[in-house]
């Protein structure tokens, strides 16, 4: 699994969908969509502006990407203590120190588009959920499992 939130257990792809004002926010816990530039460009062709931000404290990683009309216009990636810049600077970048780009700076750029902070509690309410399990497509079943109820008490 690519998602620490799922602790290595199926499903290995989880997304929650929220809305904030005119934005649809896709929380990509498995970080599969966030790393797929072709898919993000396709979303941008359809919906015009697509913004992504990711952070992973243990790995010392933070990124911010902006797409418009199907093209990447800005990417900032911080890893291994270095920040890599691609594309043209955004107006909101004049308010931050890119030599120290990390969580707060990525969040500042995210919020400059009218989005709520991605560093705190996820926006809500959740209006949709996608769970995909790619692991089962690679397994061969040798015996018929017992049927399970669709519900579970916690």
């Amino acid at each position: 699994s690519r998602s620490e939130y799922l602790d290595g257990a199926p499903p290995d792809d989880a997304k929650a969908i929220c809305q904030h004002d005119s934005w649809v926010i896709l929380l990509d816990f498995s970080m599969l969509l966030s790393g797929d530039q072709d898919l993000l460009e396709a979303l941008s062709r359809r919906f015009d502006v697509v913004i992504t931000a990711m952070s992973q404290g243990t790995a010392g990683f933070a990124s911010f990407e902006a797409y418009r009309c199907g093209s990447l216009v800005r990417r900032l990636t911080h890893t291994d203590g270095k920040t890599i810049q691609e594309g043209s600077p955004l107006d909101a970048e004049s308010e931050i120190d890119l030599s120290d780009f990390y969580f707060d700076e990525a969040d500042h750029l995210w919020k400059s588009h009218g989005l709520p902070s991605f560093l705190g509690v996820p926006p809500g309410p959740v209006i949709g959920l996608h769970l995909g399990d790619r692991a089962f497509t690679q397994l061969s079943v040798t015996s018929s499992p017992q049927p399970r109820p669709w519900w579970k008490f916690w």
Side-chain angles (χ1 to χ4, degrees):
S1 171
R2 292 179 62 183
S3 175
E4 74 179 72
Y5 300 102
L6 300 174
D7 199 24
D12 67 356
D13 183 13
K15 294 174 180 59
I17 302 166
C18 305
Q19 185 164 359
H20 177 78
D21 296 332
S22 63
W23 285 96
V24 172
I25 300 172
L26 184 65
L27 304 168
D28 181 16
F29 298 110
S30 47
M31 295 188 232
L32 294 170
L33 175 60
S34 304
D36 189 335
Q37 183 171 340
D38 292 338
L39 193 50
L40 293 169
E41 288 172 344
L43 281 171
S44 179
R45 280 191 294 277
R46 180 160 184 187
F47 298 108
D48 189 26
V49 178
V50 172
I51 305 296
T52 70
M54 284 194 295
S55 61
Q56 214 296 327
T58 307
F61 172 82
S63 78
F64 174 87
E65 295 179 7
Y67 295 82
R68 291 202 176 96
C69 301
S71 297
L72 175 71
V73 294
R74 186 63 164 158
R75 177 183 290 142
L76 296 162
T77 306
H78 176 88
T79 188
D80 296 328
K82 299 177 206 156
T83 300
I84 298 169
Q85 302 180 39
E86 296 176 53
S88 300
L90 303 172
D91 291 343
E93 289 180 42
S94 65
E95 301 166 14
I96 59 175
D97 179 6
L98 289 182
S99 67
D100 195 28
F101 180 81
Y102 203 43
F103 290 7
D104 290 335
E105 292 74 23
D107 193 50
H108 173 81
L109 296 176
W110 174 265
K111 292 186 301 186
S112 75
H113 286 83
L115 292 159
S117 175
F118 70 80
L119 296 176
V121 176
V126 171
I127 57 175
L129 184 64
H130 163 79
L131 299 173
D133 190 359
R134 296 166 194 245
F136 285 118
T137 62
Q138 300 171 5
L139 297 176
S140 61
V141 178
T142 56
S143 64
S144 299
Q146 296 296 318
R148 292 179 166 177
W150 61 269
W151 50 266
K152 183 176 182 177
F153 291 107
W154 298 101

